[in-house]
Amino acid sequence: MQSWQLPEHIADILPSTARELESVREQLLGLFRVHGYELVHPPLMEYSHSLLTRIDTGLSLKTIRVVDQLSGRQLGIRADITPQVARIDAHLLSANNGINRLCYAGSVLHARPDGFLNTREPLQVGAELYGFADVAADVELIDLMLKSVAVAEFGDILLSLGHIGVFRALAKAADLSEQQAEQLLSLMQDKDANEVRAQVEEWKLDGMWAKAFSLLPTLYGSREVVAEARTKLPDLFAVGQALDELQAVCDAFPQQNIHIDLSELRVDNYHTGLLYAAYGSSCHDAIARGGRYDGLGVYFGRARPATGFSFDLRMFIGRLPHSPRMPMIAVDHKDVAAAHEVIEQLRAEGHCVVVDYGMDYNGNKNTTRRLVEQDGKWNIIDV
């Protein structure tokens, strides 16, 4: 194997692309900032139990572990930044009992890629809101998510909605064991209505619950699904509350193309309620995903209502406006000492000044402007 080869699903980002990504990262963090979200920088590595690998099987399988040579304890390289931000809210920002709006942008590392075309090193960008349980907070985050994906060209955007609360309310009412609920949830995620029906028949569930679980994979489509679900699903308070939240989101975005799927339950174990995702007509997968995860902070000593979204900024590659290279001013290396003060002043003003050693630099064969001495003064001339 060549010594320069990288592991599978790991790739370098070269100058022109890196310039575009950094530009959009700054733009997105600026967008978050004007909506009141403060930037945090969690560490790349923590003790593995702090990354919640013990409570989320999917997250645990993604997490790469190493032994800490200082303490001898097991470390984990983060596969998801959301649990880290929940820890920050619950522990480091515990003095604030009100709302914390936090955002982040950093690399995560996966032991395996999520899909054949996915990287193992996503650049995860996201925003989280802690301390407010009402659906209005979810509406705020969905609005911010849609504004975020709009900075790149993904075609027509579809807002996809689901609600894990419907399934969990039915599972509780049907008195399913934790193992049965996990098994049925897995079948739901595979969209296999026949398997769902066969499984609930095998368990000999009460007819009402068997019918409800069999219905879930069929309850998908446009906004009218909410009304349809009200007439077909059992009249449980938690189910009605979940449908009310879905309706509230639909009402908040009257012009947005919306798809609702009550069996769209592709979630991390820590999600507890409303689920949302943004899809583009030119993409094979979701651009951004989010949802409510109330109580996650209990693992760090403070249970808080929470909602948020994230996405891999690398998905934006090739879909961003071209970010041109900063125009350069060249100065002959023999003149650097004499022109030192002028060069530093130009750089302080934001100009790019490069030293010309008589060969190409960064792929540039020609620079159209040069710093030269004329009549005892340093001038920038076009060449």
Side-chain angles (χ1 to χ4, degrees), residues 335 338-342 371-380:
D335 294 333
H340 176 74
E341 290 186 8
V342 177
L371 181 65
V372 298
E373 186 179 25
Q374 294 177 325
D375 299 325
K377 294 183 179 181
W378 292 99
N379 296 317
I380 301 170

Side-chain angles (χ1 to χ4, degrees), residues 141-344:
L141 267 295
I142 291 171
D143 176 65
L144 188 56
M145 178 182 73
L146 293 174
K147 289 175 179 176
S148 298
V149 301
V151 306
E153 181 50 59
F154 290 102
D156 296 330
I157 299 299
L158 173 71
L159 174 60
S160 176
L161 301 175
H163 205 300
I164 189 66
V166 174
F167 173 83
R168 289 184 174 160
L170 293 174
K172 182 178 179 180
D175 200 26
L176 295 186
S177 68
E178 186 175 336
Q179 183 178 1
Q180 285 176 317
E182 288 182 2
Q183 184 177 347
L184 197 56
L185 181 61
S186 178
L187 293 177
M188 292 284 182
Q189 292 173 339
D190 291 337
K191 306 292 186 188
D192 196 332
N194 291 331
E195 282 295 322
V196 170
R197 189 177 301 108
Q199 186 61 74
V200 296
E201 288 176 358
E202 180 182 329
W203 289 337
K204 295 182 171 53
L205 292 186
D206 181 277
M208 177 172 64
W209 308 123
K211 180 181 178 181
F213 285 122
S214 299
L215 272 172
L216 279 187
T218 70
L219 291 173
Y220 62 88
S222 58
R223 299 164 184 258
E224 290 73 21
V225 167
V226 176
E228 182 184 357
R230 290 190 193 278
T231 63
K232 293 183 176 181
L233 292 177
D235 186 18
L236 298 173
F237 175 78
V239 170
Q241 187 178 42
L243 295 176
D244 288 345
E245 291 177 357
L246 287 168
Q247 187 62 56
V249 175
C250 291
D251 294 344
F253 300 94
Q255 304 303 318
Q256 178 64 49
N257 188 14
I258 290 179
H259 177 82
I260 298 173
D261 188 345
L262 294 187
S263 66
E264 177 50 62
L265 306 174
R266 300 179 186 278
V267 295
D268 295 303
N269 286 356
Y270 54 72
H271 281 106
T272 60
L274 188 71
L275 307 170
Y276 39 90
Y279 288 84
S281 58
S282 62
C283 298
H284 69 282
D285 199 2
I287 309 164
R289 291 185 184 275
R292 182 159 285 277
Y293 52 99
D294 293 345
L296 182 62
V298 71
Y299 296 98
F300 305 111
R302 185 168 75 142
R304 297 256 282 168
T307 183
F309 70 90
S310 66
F311 52 86
D312 178 9
L313 193 58
R314 288 181 185 241
M315 287 190 66
F316 286 48
I317 292 176
R319 301 175 183 274
L320 298 169
H322 177 63
S323 179
R325 182 183 295 173
M326 180 181 290
M328 291 186 284
I329 301 169
V331 56
D332 193 286
H333 71 98
K334 296 176 182 177
D335 294 333
V336 169
H340 176 74
E341 290 186 8
V342 177
I343 293 171
E344 293 308 312

Side-chain angles (χ1 to χ4, degrees), residues 4-14 62 64 77-78 107-123 312 314 317:
W4 50 263
Q5 288 183 328
L6 295 174
E8 292 185 40
H9 298 275
I10 297 291
D12 293 307
I13 298 179
L14 299 183
K62 287 182 180 180
I64 296 174
I77 301 174
R78 68 185 182 199
S107 292
V108 297
L109 199 61
H110 293 171
R112 291 178 176 273
D114 287 336
F116 181 73
L117 298 178
N118 295 88
T119 176
R120 292 169 59 192
E121 190 191 4
L123 179 51
D312 178 9
R314 288 181 185 241
I317 292 176

